Amino acid sequence: AASYTCVAKNEEGYSARSDLEVSVMEQPSIIPISFGGVAVNQGEPRQIMCSVFKGDEPISITWSLQGEDLAPGPDLTTSQLGTRTSLLMISSVSYRHSGTYTCQATNRAGTATSTAVLKVNVPPRWTVEPTDKQFAQGSDAKVDC
């Protein structure tokens, strides 16, 4: 911070004076986040950390998935670690956890974001389970699978 004095004078010789302090704030910078670049199997736990390495405090850190704010739930929690780090924990990954996660750090000077993609392997499942069918010889047949 630096101190300045502002003086204004008019032609009649009247003057006004005021002291002010100017602070230059630094916006946050985030260490890039990552889930490790490999797909995760359904049911496994995963966690990801968002750390702010530059920027003036106070800093607010928030998480989103596909652009929607993340709400804590039974299998998803966030924890603030000190004033510059947030930890996102998923206790049991499922298909609904897949997508692009964004960590956003904000202070009075600005905002920084970092994103990471979580890919989830899930076992195959039937969308339409096949059933036994009977068709007349020579007719067209259609079987859902």
Side-chain angles (χ1 to χ4, degrees):
S3 297
Y4 293 89
T5 301
C6 182
V7 179
K9 293 182 184 178
N10 65 13
E11 293 176 1
E12 278 82 45
Y14 294 103
S15 66
R17 162 188 202 112
S18 181
D19 294 325
L20 63 121
E21 195 168 291
V22 175
S23 297
V24 177
M25 294 193 68
E26 185 173 33
Q27 74 178 38
S29 292
I30 298 173
I31 295 171
I33 63 172
S34 172
F35 283 104
V38 295
V40 177
N41 293 325
Q42 181 174 299
E44 292 180 354
R46 269 305 171 260
Q47 63 184 29
I48 189 168
M49 187 177 298
C50 180
S51 294
V52 178
F53 68 92
K54 261 182 9 183
D56 290 317
E57 295 183 10
I59 296 170
S60 168
I61 301 173
T62 57
W63 291 94
S64 61
L65 172 58
Q66 302 297 105
E68 299 291 323
D69 289 344
L70 274 179
D75 56 355
L76 190 143
T77 58
T78 60
S79 299
Q80 192 73 23
L81 307 174
T83 59
R84 295 179 167 268
T85 302
S86 178
L87 182 65
L88 170 67
M89 296 172 287
I90 305 169
S91 59
S92 180
V93 171
S94 69
Y95 178 75
R96 66 187 176 85
H97 295 116
S98 63
T100 301
Y101 286 79
T102 301
C103 169
Q104 177 174 298
T106 304
N107 68 6
R108 293 189 326 184
T111 298
T113 60
S114 182
T115 60
V117 175
L118 179 62
K119 294 179 181 175
V120 180
N121 292 325
V122 293
R125 63 180 177 83
W126 294 109
T127 53
V128 176
E129 190 164 350
T131 57
D132 293 337
K133 304 242 186 230
Q134 294 180 354
F135 300 98
Q137 185 175 351
S139 67
D140 290 339
K142 178 183 175 189
V143 177
D144 291 322
C145 180

